[in-house]
Amino acid sequence: MKKFLDLISEEMKQAFEAAGYDRELGKVTLSNRPDLCEYQCNGAMAGAKLYKKAPIMIANEVAEKCEGSDVFSEVSAVAPGFLNLKVKEAFVTKYLNEMAVSEKFGLDAPEHPKKIIIDYGGPNVAKPLHVGHLRSAIIGESIKRIARYAGHKVIGDIHLGDWGLQMGLIIQELKERQPSLVYFDETYAGEYPAEPPFTISELEEIYPTASGKSKEDPAYKEKAMAATFKLQSGVRGYRALWDQIMKVSVADLKRNYENLNVEFDLWKGESDVHDEIPAMVDYMKKEGYAYISDGALVVDVKEETDTKEIPPCMILKSDGASLYNTTDLATILVRMRDYHPDKLIYLTDKRQELYFEQVFRCARKTKLVKPQTELLHIGFGTMNGKDGKPFKTREGGVMRLEYLIKEINEEMYRKITDNREVAEEEARSTAKIVALSAIKYGDLSNQASKDYIFDIDKFTSFEGDTGPYILYTIVRIKSILNKYKEQGGSLQNLNICDAGSESEKSLMMEIAKFNAMMEGACEESAPHKVCAYIYDLANAFNHFYHETKILTEENADKKAGYIALLVLTRDILETCIDVLGFSAPERM
Ligand code: ARG
């Protein structure tokens, strides 16, 4: 379906043309004076210079050509030459009724659907998820869903940190605690036990202990590095122990991401590309891209137009060890080879901006990607506490994601049970759904690159620009629709009628923006645009609701028309929250 604003612009362009002016002058925009008009066109102002004529004269001529238009109910030329526009009720009605029966409410499939791999999550194995991982998961999941909804093929990959020194540290610490474990017996040739020698809580304690020790004791660190090396060179017992760590940790991660309504298609990690590195390094050397500098193997990535220093991309350290970017480059190689994506998107903290610049340049220069492959890093800002500093526990420690979620769940439960009498079980499950909307909407409604303040009171409020407010609106609509059904009404085959009030028309014009909004949010990978849209839509709906007697309307056609409008509003709101990664309860 054509976009609503484009249809309006088209009508205005025809009027400019009919009056003898360049049709491109007829571009229409939303009014910045909603008290005066709904839309406006400033083409006569621009045309004045071109045609050496007073803008008001042009505007008057164009306005005359709009007489009898199917689109405009009002076109007024006002000094010094603006065109203030109002659209006909019937034109909006027709558009909405078409939306209601169109696939995806009239959002057209992309001309060239892309295959996109999105790399988000990025947790490190055996370390509990903390709030730092929250943004990547929330924003990445939403960008994935938006692109998928828009018609692209999207693969989400968690890209686990599962291969570096952290694994060696855990193995070393286990060795010190339980040296008799069969995994450390290098002469052992039998099968290893099926049961892991630790639980997830033990694992989560082992890592920080080991990491602390290695910072204080260089000898301990040496041993951990040696363990890492043994693991990476394939010592059987070490690999088997690594498998156990992965098993326990991944099960825990899956549970955590599931609670966040975040799903990855691929659970690959840094370890998966380990065996690809030697051949990639050889290739880079052979083609002359990589050279030795101070003992390390590097690829130059600076460009003449750079205004700041972009250091070379280091491929191997002087001891031959690979680095974070070595695995990222090898992962690009594998993704291109196995999935042939048109675009790769990465979500990390914006402090990794320079890092990704280097990796992307290196991937292009060494032809790991095609010239037309799009590489996009979305760097997000920090989630801060009310004090403006990175979010911490009350005691000042790193906040575990699980605890944060629990806290919000409790707060939501309290609010829900304060509001009304509700059975314990229902209150718990509703609290969980609403809490997720509070967390996700609180994050996504900000432009990703900006820091934001995680304010529990604000995010869990049922009023204002919050997730719970959006859900409350959806629940309100659902409850009216249920009552209508109880009265014997059916939700099938209803037609939206011409607006009978300002508030109804405003709601209808908000709805009409859907396809343009979704296309923009996809193109710009910008979930905050979806949030801004549903906030406006929810406000427009609530305004209409407060001014209109819906269920007590006596004219049956008019009432059915209201219901049709409610159904479309609900469906659009629910589609939008689904791409944001949360859902609405039946009641709250
Ligand atoms: N594991 C990394 C970290 O904790 C994040 C990984 C991000 N993704 C990537 N392809 N580099 O910092």
Side-chain angles (χ1 to χ4, degrees), residues 88-117:
K88 280 202 166 132
E89 271 69 8
F91 172 70
V92 191
T93 310
K94 188 165 164 266
Y95 192 82
L96 259 60
N97 278 317
E98 205 178 320
M99 276 179 82
V101 295
S102 298
E103 202 184 333
K104 296 183 183 171
F105 314 105
L107 172 68
D108 291 338
E111 217 174 302
H112 305 287
K114 288 179 191 160
K115 188 184 240 189
I116 303 169
I117 295 184

Side-chain angles (χ1 to χ4, degrees), residues 163 270 273-284 315-316 320-323 325-331 333-334:
W163 204 233
E270 296 177 354
V273 297
H274 176 73
D275 296 340
E276 310 280 349
I277 291 174
M280 180 184 80
V281 170
D282 281 348
Y283 158 79
M284 287 183 177
I315 308 295
L316 293 178
S322 58
L323 300 103
N325 54 43
T326 324
T327 38
D328 261 324
L329 288 162
T331 305
L333 182 149
V334 172

Side-chain angles (χ1 to χ4, degrees), residues 119 122-124 133 159 161 270 324 328 346-348 352 355-356:
D119 178 316
N124 297 313
H133 295 110
H159 200 72
E270 296 177 354
Y324 182 43
D328 261 324
Y346 294 81
L347 271 125
T348 75
Q352 294 196 34
Y355 166 77
F356 277 101

Side-chain angles (χ1 to χ4, degrees), residues 52-158:
K52 306 213 173 18
K53 215 171 185 181
I56 191 71
M57 285 175 73
I58 300 180
N60 274 321
E61 287 165 37
V62 172
E64 221 168 89
K65 295 288 176 203
C66 290
E67 270 164 36
S69 154
D70 287 337
V71 176
F72 299 116
S73 58
E74 200 181 308
V75 176
S76 39
V78 294
F82 297 115
L83 284 157
N84 287 351
L85 315 170
K86 279 195 178 156
V87 293
K88 280 202 166 132
E89 271 69 8
F91 172 70
V92 191
T93 310
K94 188 165 164 266
Y95 192 82
L96 259 60
N97 278 317
E98 205 178 320
M99 276 179 82
V101 295
S102 298
E103 202 184 333
K104 296 183 183 171
F105 314 105
L107 172 68
D108 291 338
E111 217 174 302
H112 305 287
K114 288 179 191 160
K115 188 184 240 189
I116 303 169
I117 295 184
I118 166 159
D119 178 316
Y120 68 110
N124 297 313
V125 162
K127 288 195 215 170
L129 290 174
H130 58 79
V131 296
H133 295 110
L134 189 62
R135 298 211 72 190
S136 177
I138 291 180
I139 303 168
E141 180 71 17
S142 178
I143 291 176
K144 179 187 80 179
R145 289 172 179 230
I146 290 171
R148 227 174 238 175
Y149 183 79
H152 299 286
K153 173 139 185 46
V154 196
I155 303 171
D157 185 2
I158 188 166

Side-chain angles (χ1 to χ4, degrees), residues 246-353:
M246 289 297 284
K247 192 166 83 185
V248 171
S249 178
V250 166
D252 184 60
L253 286 172
K254 286 204 165 146
R255 188 179 56 80
N256 274 287
Y257 281 111
E258 215 166 274
N259 279 334
L260 278 174
N261 204 8
V262 169
E263 290 161 18
F264 298 98
D265 305 290
L266 299 177
W267 279 77
K268 295 199 178 267
E270 296 177 354
S271 65
D272 284 289
V273 297
H274 176 73
D275 296 340
E276 310 280 349
I277 291 174
M280 180 184 80
V281 170
D282 281 348
Y283 158 79
M284 287 183 177
K285 284 201 268 196
K286 206 172 95 233
E287 295 295 317
Y289 299 125
Y291 67 95
I292 304 284
S293 162
D294 289 333
L297 187 72
V298 301
V299 173
D300 276 333
V301 292
K302 59 173 189 281
E303 285 164 12
E304 259 172 39
T305 49
D306 287 343
T307 50
K308 62 173 193 268
E309 173 85 16
I310 307 280
C313 197
M314 198 190 286
I315 308 295
L316 293 178
K317 286 199 277 194
S318 47
D319 62 2
S322 58
L323 300 103
Y324 182 43
N325 54 43
T326 324
T327 38
D328 261 324
L329 288 162
T331 305
I332 292 179
L333 182 149
V334 172
R335 285 176 179 161
M336 294 304 294
R337 183 188 69 202
D338 296 352
Y339 299 95
H340 318 287
D342 304 295
K343 183 170 182 174
L344 297 173
I345 303 180
Y346 294 81
L347 271 125
T348 75
D349 190 298
K350 69 181 170 200
R351 281 170 294 193
Q352 294 196 34
E353 219 147 75

